[in-house]
Amino acid sequence: MRIGFYQFFPIFGKKVKNLKKIEETLAKVNVDLIVLPELCSTGYSFLSRQELSKYAETIPAGETTQTLINIARKKNLCIVAGLAERYDNHIYNSAVLVKPDGKVKIYRKAHLFYKEKFIFNKGNTKFLVHSFNNIKIGVLICFDYIFPEATRSLALAGAQIICHPSNLILPYAQKATITRAIENRVFFIMANRVGQEKRGSKHLKFNGRSQIISPDGEILVKAGPKEEKVKIVNIKPELALDKLITPYNDVIKDRRTELYSK
Ligand code: ACM
């Protein structure tokens, strides 16, 4: 199975331009599953909920999801990508998983980062896995990585590949996700963005360095801190079904849940 990420610089507020860039780039790739960054069609630094509201879209009717559906159908691939979702009077920081047949699944970011708390609603979708060609896929968004329970919940639900659309700022995220892959023995596709956004008093620098990690914690491919790049690697997803660290240590079965606090 060929899996990959597209690390790029979404221009704030330029949805049409960002979607065109995604379309042009993905037209050239040969891949089964590709992950794009968080909020990939709009950029990140909304100054208010009112401003965010102008860009949020319904799923699947909105233009971001419709564009992704067209690409997934045309290229026969699965895409996971972040976008601002409007649902009734809620706005979520969401990701869609779009399959080649046009079917769409939604994940809404559970753990909002920093000032996202003032403009987005907290996600309510639970940590569910989705099947694609009999492979189980889970989705997290950016700051979810800091809560081991999120990746663990997906692993317990059978996820073999974690797709992680991101807009990372903190310097240790890349290291932490290596641990998430090892402790759950899953593949982990971190798709970060690059570039800076200066809006109002906010100046955010996104640190790139997207990577795909194996269940052993090996970095299979990675991108630099500033470049726009597609990276793809061929994997055997069944490796993530083997939860043994040694012949006598299974990272799922050996848990001592009776000793853990909630
Ligand atoms: C983040 O959750 N965008 C850091």
Side-chain angles (χ1 to χ4, degrees):
M1 181 179 188
R2 288 169 63 78
I3 64 173
F5 60 75
Y6 175 30
Q7 169 174 298
F8 72 106
F9 186 161
I11 309 293
F12 185 85
K14 303 284 184 203
K15 199 185 274 185
V16 173
K17 200 169 173 176
N18 293 329
L19 288 174
K20 189 156 181 276
K21 184 164 177 168
I22 292 168
E23 220 166 5
E24 285 173 359
T25 304
L26 296 196
K28 295 180 226 142
V29 302
N30 171 16
V31 70
D32 299 305
L33 167 66
I34 191 150
V35 186
L36 311 183
E38 178 182 14
L39 296 169
C40 71
S41 55
T42 56
Y44 181 81
S45 306
F46 298 100
L47 295 178
S48 64
R49 182 159 171 110
Q50 197 184 13
E51 183 181 58
L52 168 64
S53 179
K54 285 195 239 152
Y55 293 93
E57 307 171 34
T58 56
I59 298 173
E63 56 192 324
T64 300
T65 311
Q66 285 300 310
T67 301
L68 297 173
I69 291 172
N70 284 338
I71 301 169
R73 283 205 168 114
K74 219 184 277 177
K75 296 285 297 180
N76 191 32
L77 55 78
C78 186
I79 307 172
V80 176
L83 73 157
E85 180 198 359
R86 173 191 308 289
Y87 184 84
D88 288 342
N89 55 355
H90 293 82
I91 305 177
Y92 297 104
N93 184 340
S94 296
V96 284
L97 182 150
V98 181
K99 297 196 203 178
D101 62 4
K103 291 213 172 93
V104 177
K105 303 288 179 186
I106 302 174
Y107 167 68
R108 296 173 174 150
K109 187 174 184 178
H111 304 100
L112 297 175
F113 178 67
Y114 192 46
K115 292 187 180 173
E116 285 173 36
K117 289 194 171 188
F118 306 137
I119 59 170
F120 286 103
N121 294 92
K122 275 190 217 164
N124 58 357
T125 41
K126 302 225 165 135
F127 295 99
L128 303 174
V129 297
H130 309 289
S131 282
F132 169 60
N133 291 345
N134 285 325
I135 311 299
K136 296 274 195 301
I137 296 175
V139 180
L140 299 176
I141 300 176
C142 205
F143 196 51
D144 284 329
Y145 77 87
I146 209 91
F147 299 87
E149 294 88 346
T151 314
R152 179 66 98 199
S153 299
L154 289 174
L156 288 172
Q160 293 161 265
I161 305 173
I162 308 290
C163 299
H164 184 218
S166 296
N167 278 188
L168 292 160
I169 293 159
L170 301 176
Y172 41 71
Q174 286 79 359
K175 286 186 202 156
T177 52
I178 294 173
T179 305
R180 296 289 92 82
I182 296 170
E183 68 200 2
N184 293 287
R185 292 199 51 81
V186 290
F187 290 93
F188 206 106
I189 311 173
M190 171 201 274
N192 196 9
R193 63 163 287 175
V194 292
Q196 305 187 15
E197 285 182 0
K198 283 188 196 164
R199 305 210 64 245
S201 61
K202 283 190 189 177
H203 182 187
L204 298 179
K205 296 180 187 172
F206 303 98
N207 61 24
R209 291 155 55 223
S210 298
Q211 57 190 8
I212 301 181
I213 309 155
S214 77
D216 289 323
E218 189 190 341
I219 299 175
L220 301 173
V221 284
K222 63 179 175 188
K226 293 191 175 155
E227 62 181 345
E228 297 193 292
K229 201 83 189 166
V230 173
K231 289 267 183 172
I232 293 167
V233 66
N234 216 335
I235 62 154
K236 291 187 167 63
E238 61 274 18
L239 293 179
L241 299 174
D242 175 5
K243 299 301 181 188
L244 292 175
I245 296 268
T246 77
Y248 311 113
N249 295 101
D250 182 304
V251 292
I252 300 298
K253 290 192 189 137
D254 288 0
R255 289 175 310 124
R256 300 289 310 282
T257 51
E258 73 279 20
L259 304 180
Y260 305 154
S261 355
K262 266 225 157 183

